[in-house]
Amino acid sequence: MFDFHGKNILVVGGTSGINLGIARAFARAGARVAVASRSQDKIDAALKLLGEDNPNATPLGASFDVRDNEAVLAGIAGLHQGLGSIDVLVSGAAGNFPAPAAGMSANGFKSVMDIDLLGSFQVLKACYPLLSRPGVVLQISAPQAYVPMPMQAHVCAAKAGVDMLTRTLAMEWSPEGIRINSIVPGPIEGTEGFDRLAPADALKARVAQSVPLGRNGQVSDIANCALFLASDFASYINGVVLPVDGGWSLGGASMAMTELGQLMAKQGGR
Ligand code: COA
Ligand code: NAP
């Protein structure tokens, strides 16, 4: 339905889960796709899938840690050489673990802030001169940005920052033709992020009951939204933080995330 032939897409954190699903959707829509993350093995596996999704455009990969600004600059410069200007940047690298604030080390808090928030800033800033005008940035946020969740102080703080970064940069960068929006996935089946917060099937089923649409999300639900937001059909949507969650943000998310957090607290984290 969406046509991205001739477009260059970079997905940072695009080697597994939701972000890989987004990268693959762009490849199937005809785009040339580049992915980046830390693990070369995950990059190689993702490139194989992306090559199958779009045999007409060789996918590219780069290994770097978004916390290391020098590595981000070098990795993105290398991808830019092969790709040309970046039409769509998806920034979705993230880390998470359940831990109580009182028992979390400063370095534990910092590691998630550095991946999710500082990492996003470093990626966006490195890409800024390389983005097409008009160009699109999509940040992948999380419900913890607006629903406080026990055992998630680090993620709540970091993702709230990610969304304010989206809104602020929409004011700074869109006069040049760069639209920037956040996608906020709800609970997405078959992903690392959901498994870390709801490790048992019974818990996932309880979460599904708290979603007004009565189901947890699929990776394709998020990928479809990314295609839409990056397309010209969304050319007047800018600076928005968009939940894609079956209506979970209307109330169920608060109940379910409190319950999951309290359960994890009883089990003590780790
Ligand atoms: N509970 C409490 N603290 C924890 C923890 C846990 N479950 N896991 C890690 N930490 C702390 C460590 O103890 C360390 O702090 P310290 O030096 O004071 O001991 C700090 O976090 C960094 O840990 P480390 O293992 O060195 O980090 P890393 O850089 O190798 O990995 C993580 C980063 C911890 C976020 C790791 O989970 C990761 O790589 N995640 C990516 C995948 C992911 O989370 N996917 C879901 C996305 S939503
Ligand atoms: P995932 O599979 O673990 O994806 C995380 C990606 O980021 C991987 O490609 C990982 O690859 C990369 N990454 C992690 N740390 C990195 C670092 N320091 N530097 C560079 N890359 C790094 O998790 P997911 O559950 O699909 O989550 C994807 C995004 O969706 C995240 O932003 C998350 O917050 C958001 N989200 C998820 C859910 C959900 O239900 N899963 C809900 C709401 C929001 P490497 O390990 O190779 O680095």
Side-chain angles (χ1 to χ4, degrees):
M1 191 192 295
F2 292 102
D3 184 1
F4 283 90
H5 282 92
K7 300 289 185 187
N8 299 322
I9 317 294
L10 169 59
V11 186
V12 178
T15 58
S16 59
I18 292 173
N19 303 323
L20 175 60
I22 292 172
R24 296 190 66 185
F26 277 109
R28 286 194 288 262
R32 181 145 196 229
V33 176
V35 288
S37 78
R38 293 166 300 175
S39 154
Q40 190 61 48
D41 285 350
K42 285 175 70 172
I43 293 169
D44 292 342
L47 292 182
K48 187 166 179 298
L49 292 171
L50 291 163
E52 289 162 11
D53 289 327
N54 182 3
N56 297 317
T58 309
L60 302 169
S63 164
F64 56 78
D65 189 320
V66 294
R67 290 170 284 191
D68 177 347
N69 198 40
E70 293 304 311
V72 169
L73 288 165
I76 287 177
L79 289 174
H80 175 245
Q81 272 197 338
L83 203 60
S85 70
I86 300 165
D87 297 300
V88 180
L89 165 67
V90 180
S91 173
N96 191 2
F97 52 82
M104 191 187 308
S105 69
N107 195 43
F109 187 86
K110 183 175 180 298
S111 68
V112 169
M113 291 296 284
D114 282 359
I115 300 170
D116 292 23
L117 182 53
L118 178 65
S120 297
F121 174 74
Q122 293 184 160
V123 165
L124 266 58
K125 187 154 183 253
C127 288
Y128 169 72
L130 314 176
L131 280 162
S132 308
R133 272 75 167 160
V136 174
V137 177
L138 299 174
Q139 295 223 82
I140 309 301
S141 180
Q144 288 93 323
Y146 52 84
V147 178
M149 182 174 183
M151 311 287 280
Q152 290 281 273
H154 46 345
V155 177
C156 292
K159 290 292 194 179
V162 165
D163 287 344
M164 277 311 280
L165 192 58
T166 291
R167 299 170 73 200
T168 307
L169 295 188
M171 296 188 77
E172 288 194 16
W173 291 0
S174 54
E176 294 175 39
I178 298 171
R179 289 190 295 115
I180 167 162
N181 294 295
S182 279
I183 295 176
V184 189
I188 304 302
E189 290 284 355
T191 62
E192 183 67 33
F194 193 25
D195 282 351
R196 286 189 181 209
L197 301 185
D201 286 349
L203 288 177
K204 292 192 174 74
R206 280 182 75 98
V207 171
Q209 286 167 2
S210 69
V211 178
L213 277 182
R215 68 170 176 89
N216 294 321
Q218 300 296 319
V219 167
S220 59
D221 291 317
I222 309 305
N224 289 340
C225 177
L227 291 177
F228 165 67
L229 282 179
S231 77
D232 288 344
F233 290 98
S235 57
Y236 207 49
I237 301 179
N238 188 31
V240 158
V241 175
L242 179 64
V244 183
D245 65 358
W248 207 37
S249 50
L250 301 175
S254 189
M255 250 166 34
M257 287 164 68
T258 302
E259 200 183 314
L260 284 178
Q262 286 170 343
L263 202 64
M264 290 188 292
K266 264 194 210 145
Q267 290 161 355
R270 284 266 182 204

